[in-house]
Amino acid sequence: DSSIQRMIKLVKFTDPGNAKIVSLADRWATWIVVIALLAAVGTYVVTGEIIRAVTILVVFCPCALVLATPAAIMAAISNASQHGFLVRRGNIMERLAKVDTMTFDKTGTLTYGTPEVTAVETVGTMSATELYRLVASVETKSEHPLGKAIVNGFMSHHGESFDSVDSFRMVPGKGLEATVQDKAVLAGNEAMMTLSNISIADSVKEAVHEHLNRGASIVYVAVDGVLAGYVALADRVRRESRAVVESLNDLDVMPVLLTGDHVATAKTIGKRLNVSNVIADCLPEDKMDTVAQLQQDGNIVAMVGDGVNDAPALKKSDVGIAMGGVGSDIAVEAADIVLVRNDLHTLVQAVRLSRKTMTNIKQNLFWALIFNCIGIPLAAVGALNPMIAGTAMAFSSVTVVSNSLRLKRAKI
């Protein structure tokens, strides 16, 4: 059940034989066999020479055609593992080559996923330290990056003096609720407050808006049905994120930002990364529905994420890509490709490699087919004997495999 064992399984169960182009090559090979038999019989009937008929059968052997796709895909998968991303199935390379839209989760994907507390503001009589301890105590039960940041921030300033937490419950995409020393505590986003009928004063909204405009995320805290304050957290954008977005645009792949953050925060991050398509306030099902809608509009969609909330969208997309280093177990299991080093540059490398792979496969298929098209007339007129035909047939297979092996060392 270890992470390394799951990574091993990703490699171990990689299947190069389920790409659509493999099925196409297999169908062609089937017809080539039929054509070869008919051509051999026809040649024998017309010429009466059994050697010519046998030569046609030898030269028409579809070995190179059948090798064309799986050899290229396996070489590409080997290259991928060397560059830090693992591919679950061979057909993923074919799908990734066709991707024209790439949706991104924000926290832990385009950002480092290590937000820090920038402000703790109270509303009412509770002190900032009391509010901080209360929300940190609740967040000790959370696996969310914002929750972990609040706990770590509190510990760095006040040690581990947490309050005991009872009846903890997580509300997916919204926040948490728990009982702390007989106090009913809610901690979450604005949707969580709305769901629980917690009113937020206009003055608080104005103050919060300033934090949102700086790209911060807000965790509201309510105690016994009344807003007690909020915690502002800021996450750092990955150094490579903007460059990756620009590279994807150069490859005609449209980036889309999907995040559970407030609209103002999402737009600020989008502007910083030069992503014009931003969808905010997303619940897990909203991310999945957005991917589905993009697919209905005729797009081939890849989803990049790292958390439990991203798993449904990863599974729904044409190509799911998980951040393997910090990604949750569920996200990794749901994904088709895992970025082992959490380096977004490997996304661009993956797209380029997939397109290079499809070009390589087409070259292989062309060589295999053109060899047969040239070989049969020569065999039919007696220009080839079985030994030369056998050597040429082996040479065609070696050529296809050698061309495929170029992918293993291809610079991407």
Side-chain angles (χ1 to χ4, degrees):
D1 294 328
S2 66
S3 296
I4 187 65
Q5 188 61 37
R6 277 191 293 273
M7 295 297 183
I8 291 170
K9 287 180 181 177
L10 285 180
V11 178
K12 186 175 180 180
F13 294 108
T14 295
D15 180 8
N18 55 0
K20 289 183 179 178
I21 199 164
V22 173
S23 301
L24 177 63
D26 287 346
R27 287 198 299 271
W28 285 355
T30 301
W31 281 108
I32 282 177
V33 170
V34 174
I35 293 170
L37 289 171
L38 294 175
V41 171
T43 300
Y44 177 70
V45 170
V46 172
T47 65
E49 296 186 27
I50 191 66
I51 293 297
R52 292 192 187 187
V54 171
T55 304
I56 289 174
L57 292 177
V58 172
V59 82
F60 242 125
C61 181
C63 293
L65 187 62
V66 176
L67 284 170
T69 303
I73 289 177
M74 288 308 298
I77 289 174
S78 175
N79 188 314
S81 64
Q82 293 172 32
H83 283 84
F85 56 100
L86 302 180
V87 182
R88 190 185 292 269
R89 291 181 298 275
N91 66 338
I92 300 305
M93 300 302 290
E94 183 177 4
R95 276 195 252 164
L96 184 60
K98 299 177 182 178
V99 163
D100 55 27
T101 304
M102 191 169 288
T103 56
F104 290 88
D105 171 53
K106 180 183 78 71
T107 305
T109 303
L110 291 174
T111 66
Y112 284 103
T114 54
E116 298 176 351
V117 175
T118 57
V120 179
E121 304 292 344
T122 61
V123 178
T125 58
M126 186 177 292
S127 69
T129 301
E130 290 175 323
L131 180 71
Y132 204 174
R133 177 180 289 106
L134 199 63
V135 66
S137 298
V138 175
E139 295 289 3
T140 57
K141 306 291 185 180
S142 172
E143 289 295 322
H144 195 281
L146 295 183
K148 291 180 179 180
I150 291 173
V151 173
N152 293 335
F154 180 81
M155 288 174 60
S156 66
H157 290 90
H158 305 285
E160 298 185 13
S161 57
F162 299 111
D163 298 324
S164 60
V165 178
D166 302 313
S167 63
F168 172 86
R169 188 172 77 92
M170 182 180 73
V171 183
K174 294 183 175 66
L176 313 169
E177 60 180 35
T179 302
V180 181
Q181 296 183 342
D182 298 326
K183 296 176 182 177
V185 180
L186 300 176
N189 55 23
E190 188 172 351
M192 181 73 168
M193 299 298 110
T194 302
L195 181 67
S196 304
N197 297 317
I198 307 296
S199 60
I200 302 174
D202 291 340
S203 58
V204 175
K205 290 183 178 180
E206 290 178 7
V208 164
H209 196 68
E210 294 182 9
H211 291 288
L212 295 175
N213 285 337
R214 291 195 289 269
S217 298
I218 302 297
V219 175
Y220 291 96
V221 184
V223 179
D224 294 331
V226 178
L227 184 69
Y230 61 87
V231 179
L233 303 99
D235 195 1
R236 290 184 299 129
V237 173
R238 290 181 184 272
R239 291 190 302 271
E240 70 270 21
S241 291
R242 185 179 176 93
V244 167
V245 167
E246 292 174 351
S247 295
L248 290 174
N249 281 322
D250 292 340
L251 292 170
D252 295 323
V253 177
M254 178 181 69
V256 179
L257 176 59
L258 305 179
T259 176
D261 286 347
H262 188 275
V263 174
T265 301
K267 287 186 176 179
T268 299
I269 297 297
K271 187 179 296 183
R272 198 176 297 172
L273 296 175
N274 196 27
V275 178
S276 56
N277 298 289
V278 177
I279 302 175
D281 296 319
C282 286
L283 298 174
E285 55 267 30
D286 296 329
K287 293 181 181 180
M288 184 176 67
D289 291 342
T290 300
V291 169
Q293 184 59 56
L294 288 168
Q295 289 171 327
Q296 289 178 10
D297 293 340
N299 298 295
I300 307 299
V301 183
M303 171 69 190
V304 188
D306 74 306
V308 175
N309 289 349
D310 304 318
L314 288 169
K315 203 68 178 176
K316 179 65 178 175
S317 63
D318 296 290
V319 181
I321 304 172
M323 305 290 281
V326 297
S328 73
D329 296 343
I330 295 176
V332 170
E333 289 294 334
D336 302 304
I337 295 174
V338 179
L339 306 185
V340 179
R341 294 195 293 261
N342 290 334
D343 182 358
L344 288 178
H345 284 303
T346 54
L347 281 176
V348 182
Q349 293 174 338
V351 173
R352 288 175 176 160
L353 178 60
S354 66
R355 294 181 179 181
K356 192 182 288 282
T357 301
M358 295 311 297
T359 299
N360 187 284
I361 290 172
K362 290 172 183 176
Q363 291 171 349
N364 289 346
L365 292 174
F366 172 80
W367 171 255
L369 289 172
I370 202 69
F371 171 82
N372 286 330
C373 291
I374 294 173
I376 187 172
L378 293 177
V381 300
L384 297 177
N385 61 46
M387 286 201 327
I388 295 175
T391 302
M393 183 272 293
F395 177 74
S396 70
S397 298
V398 170
T399 302
V400 165
V401 173
S402 298
N403 187 49
S404 298
L405 286 175
R406 292 191 307 113
L407 287 171
K408 189 173 180 179
R409 301 175 182 83
K411 301 293 184 182
I412 53 174

